[in-house]
Each structure stands twice: as C-alpha cells, then as structure tokens.
C-alpha cells in the first residue's frame, strides 16, 4: 500500500471518529477547562470579575468544613471497599453455586437498581430514622429493644449510608461478576473436585484468579464513584451530625447552590479531580508492578 493509500485510510478513520471526538470535547473537556479557568477568578455568579490566581484554592483549603469533608470522603471510600466491594462478589459466588431458581434470584438482586436513587435514599432514611418513628426502631420495639440513634450517632453514620449505597448498586455489579464466573471453564472445577479440592480451595485457586482482572477494574471505578458521593448524605443527614457525614462533593454543593460562590465550588471540583487522578495513577502503578 502506497503513502496515498495509508493517508486515505487514516483520513477515513479520523472522519469516523470526528463526531464523537467533537461531542466529547464539547461536553467534557470544554466544561473542565472552563471550571479550571473560573477557579482562578473572583466572580459574580459565573461572570468573572478579576484574576486572583490560587486564592480560591487557599480559601477552600482553609475553610473549616474542608478537612472534615475530605476525611469523610476517604472514610466513605474505605467503608465502600469493606462493604460495597465484597458484597457483590459474595452474592455472585453464591448465585453461581445455586442450581434452582437462579433467574429469580438474579432478578431479585437487580431490582433495587431499577428504583430511582432518590426514592431509595428517602426509604432508607425512614428505615434508619432515630426515635420511635423509624421503621427499624419500630421493629426492634416489637421485640423489646429500645430505640437506637442510628444516623444521629456520628460513628454509625457513614457505614449506614454505605449500606444504603450497597443495597442500591450491588445488584448490577453482581451480574457483572456472574458473567465473569460463567466464563470460567467448568472442566477446571471438575478437575479440582476429582483432586479432592473443597469449595474454599476452588474459590482460592480457580474462582478468584479468574475474576481478578474484572474485580480490579471495578475496584477503581467504585473508588471514583464513591469519592463523588453527594445526594445520599445530603438527603439522609444533610452532612450531620456535626459534619460527621459531609462529603467533599457536598461541600461543592454548598459553595455552588447555597452561597452561589461558583469559583470556590469549581476550585473544590478541581481538587477532587486531582486527587482522583493521583489515586488512579497510583492504582495502575501498583497493578502494573503486580502483573510484572
């Protein structure tokens, strides 16, 4: 193939890619760059007034809610890895071992993903409501247990919110793991059983290694998603009690829609992006080292 043919082939490929590239640049890169620009200015609404450099970033970092929000966001991420990351794997393994009613169980597990997220948050807010009017406390009262504070106890707030998030999202992730498990060659299990391997050894030496790459991908996606948690603590606790559940995205919401200070809101957003980029690069570096 001559040079002209190669150029013609490349032009055809670029013409095919051009529409999605333009849309991606318009809806992703342009707002991102505009956010970075806005974070460096003092503004009235979204109308910039004067360039102030990194002053918005300094003011944001010195804000009394910033460190609690950042600490809580890492706490959300930690608890999501303890609860939300393991639950779908366990469910997938259990469902994969079930012989009867597998389709019904899959449908039941996935149903919470169909329900609107706001409805689920309000539902669990009612379940965990403190006092005698909360659904869970009503049930406990029937068996003689005094009402528990639930979301009003700071040490319980974040784990309970993560439980809500897990109940909402675990079904879809479970189906992904089930698809990965069904791609494992059954002869591997048959050979292991013939060699006397019990279920724990089969999980350790066959199941986990075969879904390792899938779990690794879903891990980083979950960290990115949980790090941007907003409406769960906003609706269930409004960041309380005493900032015990405020997230870094909740702080963005406060700057943007309560104080209408968009430069500071975009400054926090840029900080979030930088943290996520650093975490992602660190994750890929560790993964690459393990692969090698």
């Amino acid at each position: 193939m001559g040079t002209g043919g190669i150029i013609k082939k490349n032009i055809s490929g670029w013409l095919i890619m051009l529409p999605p590239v333009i849309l991606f640049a318009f809806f992703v890169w342009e707002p991102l760059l505009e956010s970075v620009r806005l974070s460096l200015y003092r503004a009235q609404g979204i109308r910039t007034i004067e360039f102030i450099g990194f002053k918005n970033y300094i003011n944001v970092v010195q804000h009394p809610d910033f460190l609690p929000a950042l600490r809580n966001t890492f706490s959300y991420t930690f608890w999501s890895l303890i609860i939300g990351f393991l639950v779908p794997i366990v469910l997938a393994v259990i469902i994969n071992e079930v012989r009867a009613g597998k389709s019904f169980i899959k449908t039941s597990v996935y149903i919470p993903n169909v329900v609107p997220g706001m409805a689920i948050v309000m539902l669990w807010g009612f379940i965990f409501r403190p006092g005698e009017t909360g659904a869970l406390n009503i049930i406990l009262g029937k068996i003689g247990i005094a009402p528990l504070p639930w979301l009003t106890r700071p040490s319980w707030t974040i784990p309970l919110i993560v439980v809500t998030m897990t109940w909402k999202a675990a079904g879809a992730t479970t189906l992904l793991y089930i698809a990965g498990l069904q791609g494992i060659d059954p002869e591997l299990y048959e050979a292991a059983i013939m060699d006397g391997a019990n279920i724990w050894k089969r999980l350790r030496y066959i199941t986990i290694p075969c879904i390792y790459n899938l779990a690794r991908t879903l891990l980083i996606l979950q960290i990115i998603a949980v790090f941007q948690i907003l409406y769960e603590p906003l609706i269930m606790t409004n960041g309380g009690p005493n900032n015990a559940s405020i997230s870094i995205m909740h702080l963005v919401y406060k700057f943007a829609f309560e104080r209408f200070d968009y430069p500071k809101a975009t400054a926090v957003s840029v900080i979030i992006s930088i943290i996520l980029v650093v975490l992602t690069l660190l994750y890929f570096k560790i993964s690459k080292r393990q692969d090698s």
Side-chain angles (χ1 to χ4, degrees):
M1 182 182 294
T3 305
I6 296 175
I7 294 175
K8 184 177 180 181
K9 183 179 180 180
N10 289 337
I11 289 177
S12 300
W14 277 107
L15 289 175
I16 293 172
M17 292 175 57
L18 191 59
V21 168
I22 292 174
L23 290 174
F24 184 82
F26 182 76
F27 287 106
V28 177
W29 285 108
E30 195 279 333
L32 179 61
L33 295 176
E34 178 61 22
S35 295
V36 174
R37 188 189 72 85
L38 182 60
S39 69
L40 301 174
Y41 281 80
R42 185 169 65 86
Q44 185 175 5
I46 59 174
R47 184 172 62 85
T48 57
I49 297 176
E50 65 173 326
F51 180 81
I52 58 174
F54 293 100
K55 188 174 180 180
N56 285 321
Y57 292 90
I58 296 172
N59 291 337
V60 161
V61 172
Q62 293 177 344
H63 193 278
D65 291 343
F66 179 79
L67 288 180
L70 186 62
R71 182 177 62 248
N72 290 341
T73 301
F74 277 104
S75 183
Y76 280 116
T77 305
F78 170 78
W79 281 106
S80 73
L81 297 181
I82 297 297
I83 301 174
F85 182 69
L86 295 178
V87 167
I89 297 177
V90 174
L91 287 175
V93 171
I94 293 174
I95 294 172
N96 194 56
E97 294 291 329
V98 170
R99 293 292 175 262
K102 186 177 291 188
S103 297
F104 173 76
I105 298 174
K106 287 181 183 178
T107 303
S108 301
V109 168
Y110 187 74
I111 281 178
N113 290 82
V114 181
V115 182
M118 193 65 69
I120 286 180
V121 171
M122 295 178 69
L123 169 66
W124 281 92
F126 173 72
I127 292 174
F128 289 132
R129 182 182 298 171
E132 299 180 354
T133 58
L136 192 52
N137 279 337
I138 291 174
I139 296 173
L140 293 176
K142 297 295 183 181
I143 57 177
I145 299 177
L148 296 174
W150 300 117
L151 292 174
T152 57
R153 177 170 292 183
S155 60
W156 293 5
T157 306
I158 290 179
L160 291 177
I161 292 176
V162 171
V163 167
T164 302
M165 296 166 58
T166 302
W167 189 85
K168 166 73 171 72
T173 310
T174 299
L175 295 185
L176 292 176
Y177 281 118
I178 291 174
L181 291 173
Q182 291 177 345
I184 301 175
D185 189 351
E187 294 182 359
L188 294 175
Y189 289 109
E190 294 173 3
I193 292 172
M194 291 178 63
D195 290 338
N198 57 29
I199 185 172
W200 301 113
K201 288 185 177 179
R202 295 199 300 272
L203 284 173
R204 180 180 177 183
Y205 295 108
I206 300 176
T207 304
I208 294 177
C210 288
I211 64 171
Y212 176 71
N213 288 331
L214 174 61
R216 212 166 56 172
T217 302
L218 294 178
L219 173 66
I220 190 62
L221 293 177
Q222 179 170 327
I223 290 174
I224 292 172
V226 174
F227 212 86
Q228 300 176 68
I229 180 175
L230 171 60
Y231 67 84
E232 288 88 355
L234 179 64
I235 300 300
M236 295 179 74
T237 62
N238 195 27
N242 297 323
N243 281 344
S245 61
I246 187 174
S247 68
I248 197 76
M249 282 300 296
H250 192 175
L251 191 59
V252 175
Y253 175 87
K254 283 188 172 183
F255 279 126
F257 301 108
E258 292 182 4
R259 304 177 186 178
F260 301 100
D261 193 342
Y262 296 110
K264 287 188 177 62
T266 55
V268 179
S269 301
V270 172
I271 292 173
I272 294 172
S273 300
I274 293 172
I275 293 174
L276 288 176
V277 168
V278 171
L279 290 176
T280 304
L281 292 176
L282 181 62
Y283 167 80
F284 282 125
K285 184 176 181 179
I286 295 174
S287 299
K288 186 177 180 181
R289 184 179 302 171
Q290 290 177 347
D291 291 340
S292 61

CSV table of all heavy atoms in Angstrom, one decimal, residues 129-162:
chain,number,residue,atom,x,y,z
A,129,ARG,N,-34.4,6.2,60.6
A,129,ARG,CA,-34.9,7.4,61.4
A,129,ARG,C,-34.7,7.1,62.9
A,129,ARG,O,-35.2,6.0,63.4
A,129,ARG,CB,-36.3,7.8,61.1
A,129,ARG,CG,-36.8,9.0,61.8
A,129,ARG,CD,-38.2,9.3,61.4
A,129,ARG,NE,-38.4,9.6,60.0
A,129,ARG,CZ,-39.5,9.7,59.4
A,129,ARG,NH1,-40.7,9.6,60.1
A,129,ARG,NH2,-39.6,10.0,58.1
A,130,PRO,N,-34.1,8.0,63.7
A,130,PRO,CA,-34.0,7.7,65.1
A,130,PRO,C,-35.3,8.0,65.8
A,130,PRO,O,-36.2,8.5,65.3
A,130,PRO,CB,-32.9,8.8,65.6
A,130,PRO,CG,-33.1,9.9,64.6
A,130,PRO,CD,-33.4,9.2,63.2
A,131,GLY,N,-35.4,7.5,67.1
A,131,GLY,CA,-36.6,7.6,67.8
A,131,GLY,C,-37.6,6.5,67.5
A,131,GLY,O,-37.2,5.5,66.9
A,132,GLU,N,-38.8,6.7,68.0
A,132,GLU,CA,-39.8,5.6,67.9
A,132,GLU,C,-40.5,5.6,66.6
A,132,GLU,O,-41.3,4.7,66.3
A,132,GLU,CB,-40.8,5.7,69.0
A,132,GLU,CG,-40.1,5.6,70.4
A,132,GLU,CD,-41.1,5.8,71.5
A,132,GLU,OE1,-42.3,6.1,71.2
A,132,GLU,OE2,-40.8,5.6,72.7
A,133,THR,N,-40.2,6.5,65.7
A,133,THR,CA,-41.0,6.6,64.4
A,133,THR,C,-40.2,5.9,63.2
A,133,THR,O,-40.8,5.8,62.2
A,133,THR,CB,-41.3,8.0,64.0
A,133,THR,OG1,-40.0,8.8,63.9
A,133,THR,CG2,-42.2,8.7,65.1
A,134,GLY,N,-38.9,5.6,63.5
A,134,GLY,CA,-38.2,4.9,62.4
A,134,GLY,C,-38.6,3.5,62.2
A,134,GLY,O,-38.9,2.8,63.2
A,135,ALA,N,-38.6,3.0,61.0
A,135,ALA,CA,-39.1,1.6,60.7
A,135,ALA,C,-38.3,0.6,61.5
A,135,ALA,O,-38.9,-0.4,62.0
A,135,ALA,CB,-39.1,1.4,59.2
A,136,LEU,N,-37.0,0.7,61.5
A,136,LEU,CA,-36.1,-0.3,62.1
A,136,LEU,C,-36.4,-0.2,63.6
A,136,LEU,O,-36.4,-1.3,64.3
A,136,LEU,CB,-34.7,0.0,61.8
A,136,LEU,CG,-33.7,-1.1,62.2
A,136,LEU,CD1,-34.1,-2.5,61.6
A,136,LEU,CD2,-32.3,-0.8,61.6
A,137,ASN,N,-36.5,0.9,64.2
A,137,ASN,CA,-36.7,1.0,65.6
A,137,ASN,C,-38.1,0.5,66.0
A,137,ASN,O,-38.3,0.0,67.1
A,137,ASN,CB,-36.6,2.5,66.1
A,137,ASN,CG,-35.1,2.9,66.3
A,137,ASN,OD1,-34.3,2.0,66.5
A,137,ASN,ND2,-34.9,4.2,66.3
A,138,ILE,N,-39.1,0.7,65.1
A,138,ILE,CA,-40.4,0.1,65.4
A,138,ILE,C,-40.3,-1.4,65.5
A,138,ILE,O,-40.9,-2.1,66.4
A,138,ILE,CB,-41.4,0.5,64.3
A,138,ILE,CG1,-41.7,2.0,64.4
A,138,ILE,CG2,-42.7,-0.3,64.4
A,138,ILE,CD1,-42.6,2.5,63.2
A,139,ILE,N,-39.6,-2.0,64.5
A,139,ILE,CA,-39.4,-3.5,64.6
A,139,ILE,C,-38.7,-3.9,65.8
A,139,ILE,O,-39.0,-4.9,66.5
A,139,ILE,CB,-38.6,-3.9,63.3
A,139,ILE,CG1,-39.4,-3.7,62.1
A,139,ILE,CG2,-38.3,-5.4,63.4
A,139,ILE,CD1,-38.7,-3.9,60.8
A,140,LEU,N,-37.6,-3.2,66.2
A,140,LEU,CA,-36.8,-3.5,67.4
A,140,LEU,C,-37.7,-3.4,68.7
A,140,LEU,O,-37.6,-4.1,69.6
A,140,LEU,CB,-35.6,-2.6,67.5
A,140,LEU,CG,-34.5,-2.8,66.5
A,140,LEU,CD1,-33.4,-1.8,66.6
A,140,LEU,CD2,-34.0,-4.2,66.5
A,141,GLY,N,-38.6,-2.4,68.6
A,141,GLY,CA,-39.5,-2.2,69.8
A,141,GLY,C,-40.4,-3.3,70.0
A,141,GLY,O,-40.8,-3.6,71.1
A,142,LYS,N,-40.8,-4.0,68.9
A,142,LYS,CA,-41.7,-5.2,69.0
A,142,LYS,C,-41.0,-6.3,69.7
A,142,LYS,O,-41.7,-7.2,70.3
A,142,LYS,CB,-42.1,-5.6,67.6
A,142,LYS,CG,-42.9,-4.6,66.8
A,142,LYS,CD,-44.2,-4.3,67.4
A,142,LYS,CE,-45.0,-3.3,66.6
A,142,LYS,NZ,-46.4,-3.0,67.2
A,143,ILE,N,-39.7,-6.4,69.7
A,143,ILE,CA,-39.0,-7.5,70.4
A,143,ILE,C,-38.3,-7.0,71.7
A,143,ILE,O,-37.5,-7.6,72.3
A,143,ILE,CB,-38.0,-8.1,69.5
A,143,ILE,CG1,-37.0,-7.1,69.0
A,143,ILE,CG2,-38.7,-8.8,68.3
A,143,ILE,CD1,-35.9,-7.8,68.1
A,144,GLY,N,-38.7,-5.8,72.2
A,144,GLY,CA,-38.3,-5.3,73.5
A,144,GLY,C,-37.0,-4.5,73.5
A,144,GLY,O,-36.4,-4.4,74.6
A,145,ILE,N,-36.5,-4.1,72.3
A,145,ILE,CA,-35.2,-3.4,72.3
A,145,ILE,C,-35.5,-1.9,72.2
A,145,ILE,O,-36.3,-1.5,71.4
A,145,ILE,CB,-34.3,-3.8,71.1
A,145,ILE,CG1,-34.0,-5.3,71.2
A,145,ILE,CG2,-33.1,-3.0,71.0
A,145,ILE,CD1,-33.2,-5.9,70.1
A,146,ALA,N,-34.8,-1.1,73.0
A,146,ALA,CA,-35.1,0.4,73.0
A,146,ALA,C,-34.6,1.0,71.7
A,146,ALA,O,-33.7,0.4,71.0
A,146,ALA,CB,-34.3,1.0,74.2
A,147,PRO,N,-35.2,2.1,71.3
A,147,PRO,CA,-34.8,2.8,70.0
A,147,PRO,C,-33.3,3.1,70.0
A,147,PRO,O,-32.8,3.6,71.0
A,147,PRO,CB,-35.7,4.0,70.0
A,147,PRO,CG,-36.9,3.7,70.8
A,147,PRO,CD,-36.3,2.8,71.9
A,148,LEU,N,-32.7,2.9,68.9
A,148,LEU,CA,-31.3,3.2,68.7
A,148,LEU,C,-31.1,4.5,67.9
A,148,LEU,O,-32.0,4.9,67.1
A,148,LEU,CB,-30.6,2.1,68.0
A,148,LEU,CG,-30.6,0.8,68.8
A,148,LEU,CD1,-30.0,-0.4,67.9
A,148,LEU,CD2,-29.8,0.9,70.1
A,149,PRO,N,-30.0,5.3,68.1
A,149,PRO,CA,-29.9,6.6,67.4
A,149,PRO,C,-29.6,6.5,65.9
A,149,PRO,O,-29.8,7.5,65.2
A,149,PRO,CB,-28.7,7.2,68.2
A,149,PRO,CG,-27.9,6.0,68.7
A,149,PRO,CD,-28.9,5.0,69.0
A,150,TRP,N,-29.0,5.4,65.4
A,150,TRP,CA,-28.7,5.2,64.0
A,150,TRP,C,-28.0,6.4,63.4
A,150,TRP,O,-26.9,6.6,63.8
A,150,TRP,CB,-30.0,4.8,63.2
A,150,TRP,CG,-30.7,3.6,63.7
A,150,TRP,CD1,-32.0,3.5,64.2
A,150,TRP,CD2,-30.2,2.3,63.7
A,150,TRP,NE1,-32.3,2.2,64.6
A,150,TRP,CE2,-31.2,1.4,64.3
A,150,TRP,CE3,-29.0,1.7,63.3
A,150,TRP,CZ2,-31.0,0.1,64.4
A,150,TRP,CZ3,-28.8,0.3,63.5
A,150,TRP,CH2,-29.8,-0.5,64.0
A,151,LEU,N,-28.6,7.1,62.5
A,151,LEU,CA,-27.9,8.2,61.8
A,151,LEU,C,-27.5,9.3,62.6
A,151,LEU,O,-26.7,10.2,62.1
A,151,LEU,CB,-28.8,8.6,60.6
A,151,LEU,CG,-29.0,7.6,59.5
A,151,LEU,CD1,-30.0,8.2,58.4
A,151,LEU,CD2,-27.7,7.3,58.8
A,152,THR,N,-28.0,9.5,63.8
A,152,THR,CA,-27.6,10.6,64.7
A,152,THR,C,-26.4,10.2,65.5
A,152,THR,O,-25.9,11.1,66.2
A,152,THR,CB,-28.8,11.0,65.6
A,152,THR,OG1,-29.2,9.8,66.4
A,152,THR,CG2,-30.0,11.5,64.8
A,153,ARG,N,-25.9,9.0,65.4
A,153,ARG,CA,-24.6,8.7,66.1
A,153,ARG,C,-23.5,8.8,65.1
A,153,ARG,O,-23.5,8.1,64.1
A,153,ARG,CB,-24.7,7.3,66.7
A,153,ARG,CG,-23.4,6.8,67.3
A,153,ARG,CD,-23.5,5.5,68.1
A,153,ARG,NE,-24.4,5.7,69.3
A,153,ARG,CZ,-24.6,4.7,70.2
A,153,ARG,NH1,-24.1,3.5,70.0
A,153,ARG,NH2,-25.4,5.0,71.2
A,154,PRO,N,-22.6,9.7,65.3
A,154,PRO,CA,-21.5,10.0,64.3
A,154,PRO,C,-20.7,8.8,63.8
A,154,PRO,O,-20.4,8.7,62.6
A,154,PRO,CB,-20.6,11.0,65.0
A,154,PRO,CG,-21.5,11.7,66.0
A,154,PRO,CD,-22.5,10.7,66.5
A,155,SER,N,-20.4,7.9,64.7
A,155,SER,CA,-19.6,6.7,64.3
A,155,SER,C,-20.4,5.7,63.5
A,155,SER,O,-19.8,4.9,62.8
A,155,SER,CB,-19.1,6.0,65.6
A,155,SER,OG,-20.2,5.6,66.4
A,156,TRP,N,-21.7,5.8,63.5
A,156,TRP,CA,-22.5,4.9,62.7
A,156,TRP,C,-22.9,5.5,61.3
A,156,TRP,O,-23.3,4.8,60.4
A,156,TRP,CB,-23.8,4.5,63.4
A,156,TRP,CG,-23.6,3.7,64.7
A,156,TRP,CD1,-22.4,3.4,65.2
A,156,TRP,CD2,-24.6,3.2,65.5
A,156,TRP,NE1,-22.6,2.6,66.4
A,156,TRP,CE2,-24.0,2.5,66.6
A,156,TRP,CE3,-26.0,3.2,65.5
A,156,TRP,CZ2,-24.7,1.9,67.6
A,156,TRP,CZ3,-26.7,2.6,66.5
A,156,TRP,CH2,-26.1,1.9,67.5
A,157,THR,N,-22.9,6.8,61.2
A,157,THR,CA,-23.5,7.5,60.1
A,157,THR,C,-22.9,7.0,58.7
A,157,THR,O,-23.7,6.6,57.8
A,157,THR,CB,-23.3,9.0,60.2
A,157,THR,OG1,-23.8,9.4,61.5
A,157,THR,CG2,-24.1,9.7,59.1
A,158,ILE,N,-21.6,7.1,58.6
A,158,ILE,CA,-21.0,6.7,57.3
A,158,ILE,C,-21.2,5.3,56.9
A,158,ILE,O,-21.6,4.9,55.8
A,158,ILE,CB,-19.5,7.1,57.2
A,158,ILE,CG1,-19.4,8.7,57.2
A,158,ILE,CG2,-18.8,6.5,56.0
A,158,ILE,CD1,-18.0,9.2,57.2
A,159,PRO,N,-21.0,4.3,57.8
A,159,PRO,CA,-21.3,2.9,57.5
A,159,PRO,C,-22.7,2.6,57.1
A,159,PRO,O,-23.0,1.9,56.1
A,159,PRO,CB,-20.9,2.1,58.8
A,159,PRO,CG,-19.9,3.0,59.4
A,159,PRO,CD,-20.3,4.4,59.1
A,160,LEU,N,-23.7,3.3,57.7
A,160,LEU,CA,-25.1,3.1,57.4
A,160,LEU,C,-25.4,3.7,56.0
A,160,LEU,O,-26.2,3.1,55.2
A,160,LEU,CB,-26.0,3.7,58.5
A,160,LEU,CG,-26.0,3.0,59.8
A,160,LEU,CD1,-26.8,3.8,60.8
A,160,LEU,CD2,-26.4,1.6,59.7
A,161,ILE,N,-24.8,4.8,55.7
A,161,ILE,CA,-25.0,5.4,54.4
A,161,ILE,C,-24.4,4.5,53.3
A,161,ILE,O,-25.0,4.3,52.2
A,161,ILE,CB,-24.4,6.8,54.3
A,161,ILE,CG1,-25.2,7.7,55.2
A,161,ILE,CG2,-24.4,7.3,52.8
A,161,ILE,CD1,-24.6,9.2,55.2
A,162,VAL,N,-23.2,3.9,53.6
A,162,VAL,CA,-22.6,2.9,52.7
A,162,VAL,C,-23.5,1.7,52.5
A,162,VAL,O,-23.6,1.1,51.4
A,162,VAL,CB,-21.2,2.6,53.1
A,162,VAL,CG1,-20.6,1.4,52.3
A,162,VAL,CG2,-20.3,3.8,53.1
